[in-house]
Amino acid sequence: MTDLFAPLQSLKQGDWFKLICGASFQHLPAVRSLTLAYTLAGADCIDVAADPAVIAAAQAGLLVAKSLATDAQKRGFSYKGNSPFLMVSLNDGEDPHFRKAEFNPTECPRDCPRPCERICPAQAIVFNNKENFSGVISQKCYGCGRCIPVCPYGIIDTNSYMSTPGAIAPLVISTGVDAVEIHTKVGRLTEFKQLWQAISPWADQLKLLAISCPDGEGMIDYLRAVYDLISPLKSALIWQTDGRPMSGDIGDGTTIAAVKLGQKVLAAELPGYVQLAGGTNSYTVAKLKAMGLLKEAEVQGAGGRGEEFFPLLIAPCSPSSIAGVAYGSYARVLLSPILEQLENKEVNNTNVQTNLRLEENDVLLWQAVKLAHSLVSQIKSQYER
């Protein structure tokens, strides 16, 4: 059972950390390992694709993390066994987070330098791998689109898909998903309304709702209209400002767009919390601190959890403060060397080769947690004891 207090407390005090595994990312071993490492490192929320197998992989990672809580504390990590929220992402229309690259490798000339393979941050494009496969490994692709402009022959395309909220409702009821994130865009109020009508019968079961929206003309008016549609809301509400989607691992310049959009939404003083995403990386928290956009740590009162719980659902940390940061491509790429090593360490059991699980390699496990903690601690450091 998820401990409500810890994630919501992080939102309230302004040190919320969310891991985005990717709305289209379905590589189950990686989802499980990322969930395990970032949970042990102190993440407040794990955001995964709305896919039963992916949800199950994340939940398996959460269970293993709970069993390793004591070991984590002995190693100096602050994780105490509280599970982060498990979130799934939906979309009300075409969105870069909900697509995958595709191409026919037989159309690739033999002398092509294959820039697509080199630029793919997920190692989803391969040629003649150990399974003798060439093309896009669909489960690994999360739709960043970086391969498309670099293809010398223009043969790479994308396949987009829509959410099916009717199929998601049973997942929320039966699998213990805590939160939903809706990806929308300015001008799609009709589509958003249709999606929300499908979700609303079971929305009261959610502990958190996030609205993710990139910038655009009339954005604030659009978000106000969205708020009017979803009100009244029993759960906590996050406005996720999607600065430069899936670009955090490119460089420090990408975080500027995320911070700038966060400032814009903060200035609108919408009810709820503001959380950055899209271009977030190791520079983001330092930028926020330099600009005074993070709440200063305060001495917590001695009130009981009963006194604190209900205000946590609705009270933003501060009308002028960012409540937290979500990390996607940067957080995944940070751990990719560890995950690649893990994939290469196969166990041969009765002639069946399977990849090792992260917790089965003690050295790689705690290396991964240490790397994850180097990112989580940037926003958590002023509250960690």
Side-chain angles (χ1 to χ4, degrees):
M1 191 74 176
T2 297
D3 186 336
L4 285 174
F5 183 73
L8 293 176
Q9 179 66 22
S10 294
L11 273 177
K12 184 180 181 184
Q13 65 192 19
D15 69 335
W16 163 272
F17 181 103
K18 184 174 87 169
L19 168 69
I20 303 173
C21 285
S24 297
F25 190 61
Q26 296 164 306
H27 188 48
L28 303 184
V31 169
R32 188 183 188 279
S33 294
L34 287 165
T35 299
L36 171 56
Y38 276 96
T39 297
L40 289 171
D44 296 294
C45 183
I46 309 293
D47 184 0
V48 300
D51 176 310
V54 175
I55 293 170
Q59 289 175 324
L62 293 175
L63 282 174
V64 175
K66 189 176 287 288
S67 72
L68 293 170
T70 301
D71 200 359
Q73 291 169 39
K74 289 179 180 177
R75 293 172 181 268
F77 301 107
S78 60
Y79 174 69
K80 296 178 176 61
N82 297 326
S83 293
F85 284 167
L86 184 57
M87 174 183 283
V88 297
S89 289
L90 306 175
N91 59 323
D92 62 8
E94 189 169 340
D95 187 284
H97 297 89
F98 296 80
R99 66 180 184 180
K100 292 182 181 292
E102 58 182 16
F103 69 93
N104 183 353
T106 63
E107 298 178 3
C108 300
R110 291 185 178 181
D111 61 350
C112 179
R114 299 172 180 170
C116 59
E117 185 178 26
R118 293 195 303 273
I119 203 170
C120 179
Q123 292 83 49
I125 297 178
V126 297
F127 290 89
N128 299 317
N129 65 1
K130 60 185 177 182
E131 285 83 25
N132 200 30
F133 171 81
S134 294
V136 179
I137 302 174
S138 180
Q139 296 93 332
K140 288 188 175 183
C141 177
Y142 59 84
C144 69
R146 297 178 205 174
C147 56
I148 298 172
V150 302
C151 176
Y153 303 97
I155 64 171
I156 302 179
D157 203 352
T158 58
N159 181 28
S160 300
Y161 61 93
M162 285 286 294
S163 303
T164 52
I168 301 304
L171 296 180
V172 174
I173 294 170
S174 64
T175 65
V177 169
D178 303 293
V180 163
E181 179 170 283
I182 300 176
H183 290 255
T184 188
K185 288 184 179 179
V186 177
R188 290 215 297 241
L189 192 62
T190 299
E191 292 84 352
F192 182 94
K193 184 176 181 180
Q194 291 171 347
L195 178 58
W196 182 247
Q197 286 174 340
I199 297 171
S200 58
W202 44 269
D204 286 354
Q205 298 183 47
L206 300 174
K207 302 174 183 73
L208 176 67
L209 174 69
I211 307 296
S212 180
C213 188
D215 202 1
E217 186 176 351
M219 177 194 186
I220 299 304
D221 288 338
Y222 178 69
L223 294 184
R224 289 196 175 106
V226 164
Y227 182 75
D228 289 341
L229 271 176
I230 63 178
S231 298
L233 194 66
K234 291 186 177 180
S235 66
L237 174 63
I238 286 177
W239 302 104
Q240 177 168 287
T241 58
D242 204 358
R244 284 185 58 185
M246 297 175 286
S247 66
D249 57 313
I250 294 176
D252 60 333
T254 62
T255 203
I256 296 174
V259 174
K260 184 177 179 181
L261 187 54
Q263 285 181 295
K264 180 176 179 178
V265 177
L266 276 177
E269 297 186 350
L270 294 163
Y273 300 93
V274 178
Q275 171 226 277
L276 302 190
T280 53
N281 51 36
S282 62
Y283 300 94
T284 305
V285 170
K287 184 73 172 175
L288 290 173
K289 288 180 177 178
M291 298 176 69
L293 292 174
L294 285 180
K295 185 180 181 183
E296 295 292 331
E298 297 175 355
V299 177
Q300 300 296 311
R305 283 176 56 171
E307 297 172 8
E308 295 288 335
F309 176 71
F310 290 104
L312 288 174
L313 290 174
I314 57 174
C317 60
S318 166
S320 60
S321 299
I322 296 294
V325 182
Y327 299 86
S329 56
Y330 181 82
R332 297 191 298 269
V333 169
L334 185 64
L335 264 60
S336 61
I338 303 292
L339 303 188
E340 286 175 34
Q341 287 185 64
L342 197 65
E343 284 193 28
N344 291 330
K345 291 180 180 292
E346 293 181 327
V347 177
N348 195 325
N349 183 20
T350 62
N351 297 320
V352 177
Q353 288 189 330
T354 58
N355 290 331
L356 276 173
R357 291 177 171 175
L358 184 56
E359 69 274 16
E360 293 170 346
N361 188 305
D362 205 54
V363 173
L364 290 182
L365 168 64
W366 297 109
Q367 285 179 357
V369 177
K370 185 176 180 180
L371 280 172
H373 187 260
S374 71
L375 184 59
V376 176
S377 63
Q378 290 183 16
I379 196 166
K380 294 286 187 183
S381 58
Q382 59 183 343
Y383 292 98
E384 287 186 337
R385 297 289 182 263

